[in-house]
Amino acid sequence: MPEFIGQLPISEPAWNVISSVQNFQRTTQGIDFDCGNNSCLILSILSPNLIRVRFSPPGELTPRRSWAINSPDEEWNAVNFDLHETEELITIETEKIKVCVQRHPCRVMCFDKSGNSFAGDTDLGIGWRNNEISNWKQIDPQERFYGFGERTGFLNQRGKLLTNWTTDCLDYTMLTDEMYQAIPFFMSLRPNLGYGLFFNTTFWSQFDVGATELNTLQLQTKDSQLDYYIIYGPEPAKILDTYTQLTGRMPLPPRWALGYHQCRWSYSSENEVRELVKQFRSRKIPCDVVHLDIDYMQGFRVFTWNKQRFPNPKQLIEELRQQGIKVVTIIDPGVKFDPEADYPVCDEGLEKDYFIRRRDGKVFHGYVWPDRAVFPDFMRAQVRKWWGNLQHKLTDMGVAGIWNDMNEPALNDRPFGDLEGDKITFPMDASSGDGEDKTTWAETHNLYGMNMARAACEGLEKLRSQHRSFVLTRSGFAGIQRYSAVWTGDNHSKWEYLEMSLPMLCNLGLSGVAFVGADISGFAGDATPELFARWMQVGMLYPLMRGHSMIGTKRHEPWEFGQDVEDICRKYIELRYKLLPYFYSLFWQAADKGDPILRPLVYHYPNDVKTYELYDQVLIGSDLMAAPVYRPGVENRMVYLPEGIWYDWWSRKSYQGSQYILVDAPLETMPLFIRGGAIIPLISVMQYAEELPINEMRLLVAPGKGKFTLYEDDGDTFAYRDGASCTTQYQVDLEESKVIVDIGERKGNWTPVERKVIIEVIGKGEQEFMDDGKSRQLVWQ
Ligand code: MIG
């Protein structure tokens, strides 16, 4: 709804508010506060920088379940903390922070070791009414807010009202609130102080980040209890490290998934797919993956193949495999209600009672692509197992990845195309899950997409146990990174969407989801040649590099826009392939520590206020910075260089940092900079990630001080879990004009193929050696 119409004011009941601390008691992990009337505040100190705060209002307690949390309280090691008591305050102090609980009335406040306050309750404290509960917190004038999952607009989200409720938000704009993903986590940054807050509720929830009251943050949920974690940094990387310890990290993807993916709604016949791949290979444009959209199915029935369009998928996929192409197929949650036909997915699901029922016990129906459809209850482990295994219909043919769409869920109450139809959700009062997980969809709506992705991920791991698979989802919740990559749904072939894609993906990255991408060139509408070229440049920065376009649009393959644009696309896709060892090491960092791959500058320069609103420049890892063009007709742009020395990627010219510069950016150039102290591994272009053994690697070194850890393994199997991987640490130092490069001994149990390593120091020249895994030092005078 347009923002300026707003909502009509309605009178709402007053809040009941938390009263005073009557009593408190030390527990194994923290302190319980009795706040009178059977209400209690529970603090758990899980780590010196991680505090869980819970409050239950008077009345009966409902069981706490999270589903997002990967490390429950019991798994955190006991933490030492001091407890002081005064007339007014009860203070807990850890190595990192101080948490004070005021007695009259009860308020929670946090302080860093210099005494700066953060995440402190306002005069309102905690309140509850009917089915909701709220907590009001102070915002410092300098605070900026990032993360919040998938968000439109630019980077800093302060001043917005942000709801966590998964929704098919097609045609989203700057004003859209509810998105495909719901991740109730944010990171607050100001100079020298950063903290994260994970609002542990799967019910509808909302952050009012100073929208109603300039300096007040309101956490609100339709849950019956308040439950949140405070994560102190102060660095963004520390916040994400802890947040992803809490909600989990991504598994390592197959290395081919880092290559270029081509998608369209739809490549809808075997010959069309063959022709597509022929074009890539004959034009020498690298590509690893082709995605098949809904038309590969028989009448949109999931886990079937259309016999006319894809009569022999196995043979097709084998032919593609020989050309280095992997196939990913789409799967939607809606199962065609087809009891009359011979459709085992429907029959079996009905027979085993796997589909969602209404409260009155009847099977729930909605309308999606296959017309009348029924929906698996992915909250149940048994259903996930069944679904995961059904994927054998695809993997038996050689499919290597699954793309989950429409899982917010997106459905209508009437057939698609019926103008009277409305978007609906599962009945909120109907039962979801079973056993200990049994509840209603009011609590689990936000989890539907994540559990579908979980079913896909766990199923693929069984079916393709010798290989890593790729999973992509549109909807998800906090923790989705454990199962799947995420793409930002239906954007448009418009400059504004190109511009918005980077801050959207950066905020997802700051929410623990590192493997993310937007549809390159835009999903809806027709791109112009100029937009297409600029988008491919930006697309090579996306952790997931996938081109996609909607049915009925102009074709959007790299060669559709003339020779010049084709050459630009090739240049940037090739650049992506040259950087694969760099990207792969960044994926490992994401899997190991939760670091984003694509990062806003504020991630590495959190004390530099000039980076706080900087949404149109990004870092890949810590060492490469791009300043793309995202407007038509623009051929130069301003670039902010943070502290240090920066080198232009194309000309190798050096710049002093802490300044703005104006750079040339003709259509074939995306401004790209290397941080002084960077060590970037590069390989020769291949037509697909595993085309040739890497028998030569170049390390591009930018004079300065820095380190880089190269991670390697077979890129395909799970052997890395048993230690079959290796790391090499490279370090560069500067002594006056001397550049010293230290190559550490290779560590781990995986040996890369024999290779030559060429070290190129910008402005100094090259030295090379055969890589025997031993440590050595090279010096440039
Ligand atoms: O109702 O499968 O976001 O990527 O091509 C549209 C068809 C359904 C929406 C996805 C889009 C996909 C399309 N899907």
Side-chain angles (χ1 to χ4, degrees), residues 357-575:
R357 289 177 180 275
R358 308 192 310 200
R359 199 177 146 172
D360 64 11
K362 297 204 174 106
V363 172
F364 170 81
H365 295 263
Y367 291 85
V368 216
W369 290 110
D371 209 43
R372 195 162 175 203
V374 286
F375 298 84
D377 180 1
F378 293 120
M379 291 301 299
R380 291 188 250 154
Q382 216 187 358
V383 178
R384 288 198 296 272
K385 208 169 152 198
W386 170 65
W387 189 264
N389 186 53
L390 282 172
Q391 295 174 132
H392 80 84
K393 295 269 184 206
L394 306 164
T395 55
D396 286 352
M397 301 298 153
V399 165
I402 297 290
W403 164 27
N404 285 158
D405 188 20
M406 308 293 275
N407 51 357
E408 294 73 26
L411 54 138
N412 282 4
D413 59 353
R414 294 196 183 200
F416 268 24
D418 183 332
L419 297 177
E420 312 252 296
D422 283 318
K423 282 191 185 184
I424 53 168
T425 60
F426 302 146
M428 288 297 131
D429 57 358
S431 165
S432 114
D434 56 6
E436 284 183 2
D437 284 344
K438 195 174 166 83
T439 180
T440 62
W441 289 103
E443 188 170 9
T444 52
H445 165 89
N446 278 334
L447 298 169
Y448 195 68
M450 179 154 91
N451 278 300
M452 181 184 189
R454 179 176 179 183
C457 171
E458 292 174 351
L460 286 172
E461 216 177 296
K462 291 212 180 84
L463 295 168
R464 304 179 77 243
S465 59
Q466 300 311 306
H467 304 279
R468 296 177 222 168
S469 302
F470 172 73
V471 181
L472 181 62
T473 182
R474 198 168 71 173
S475 187
F477 188 71
I480 185 62
Q481 66 271 11
R482 304 195 294 260
Y483 312 113
S484 180
V486 166
W487 99 103
T488 56
D490 298 345
N491 59 358
H492 287 236
S493 299
K494 293 266 175 282
W495 291 95
E496 290 81 349
Y497 287 81
L498 169 59
E499 177 179 23
M500 202 155 70
S501 68
L502 286 173
M504 279 183 84
L505 298 176
C506 282
N507 275 323
L508 269 165
L510 295 179
S511 308
V513 194
F515 198 1
V516 290
D519 286 345
I520 295 171
S521 85
F523 173 70
D526 296 336
T528 62
E530 188 189 5
L531 176 65
F532 195 87
R534 289 301 193 188
W535 212 320
M536 197 59 84
Q537 295 172 349
V538 175
M540 67 91 23
L541 308 167
Y542 298 164
L544 169 64
M545 187 185 189
R546 186 183 81 152
H548 185 32
S549 50
M550 186 171 145
I551 194 167
T553 59
K554 175 177 170 25
R555 294 199 73 107
H556 280 69
E557 289 86 29
W559 47 85
E560 291 291 333
F561 297 86
Q563 192 60 47
D564 292 351
V565 172
E566 180 181 333
D567 292 345
I568 292 170
C569 291
R570 184 181 303 99
K571 174 174 162 184
Y572 286 87
I573 297 176
E574 286 185 352
L575 179 55

Side-chain angles (χ1 to χ4, degrees), residues 260-381:
Y260 179 69
H261 299 231
Q262 185 65 55
C263 186
R264 179 169 173 85
W265 179 9
S266 292
Y267 296 121
S268 54
S269 71
E270 289 186 356
N271 282 338
E272 207 177 334
V273 174
R274 280 195 189 97
E275 182 55 29
L276 176 79
V277 170
K278 206 165 111 198
Q279 292 293 335
F280 273 103
R281 293 299 180 241
S282 67
R283 292 169 189 272
K284 296 232 167 307
I285 299 175
C287 179
D288 264 275
V289 193
V290 169
H291 289 233
L292 300 182
D293 208 326
I294 49 178
D295 297 297
Y296 79 86
M297 296 182 256
Q298 187 72 47
F300 307 122
R301 286 170 188 81
V302 287
F303 306 114
T304 65
W305 290 90
N306 184 301
K307 291 186 192 68
Q308 286 77 46
R309 296 162 187 269
F310 289 88
N312 197 344
K314 192 164 191 168
Q315 189 192 321
L316 171 76
I317 294 173
E318 172 55 22
E319 272 171 44
L320 298 180
R321 192 193 61 77
Q322 288 169 14
Q323 298 174 72
I325 294 285
K326 301 285 192 296
V327 171
V328 169
T329 46
I330 197 169
I331 285 289
D332 291 348
V335 172
K336 187 175 178 68
F337 182 69
D338 210 7
E340 247 100 278
D342 183 17
Y343 180 37
V345 182
C346 173
D347 295 344
E348 211 180 301
L350 285 172
E351 187 193 305
K352 301 209 163 129
D353 194 21
Y354 287 159
F355 298 124
I356 294 169
R357 289 177 180 275
R358 308 192 310 200
R359 199 177 146 172
D360 64 11
K362 297 204 174 106
V363 172
F364 170 81
H365 295 263
Y367 291 85
V368 216
W369 290 110
D371 209 43
R372 195 162 175 203
V374 286
F375 298 84
D377 180 1
F378 293 120
M379 291 301 299
R380 291 188 250 154

Side-chain angles (χ1 to χ4, degrees), residues 40 115 132 147 182 187 252 265 437 452 493 605 622 680 697 772:
C40 64
E132 43 184 10
M187 189 181 282
L252 271 178
W265 179 9
D437 284 344
M452 181 184 189
S493 299
Y605 303 91
S622 56
I680 298 175
M697 174 143 25
D772 54 6

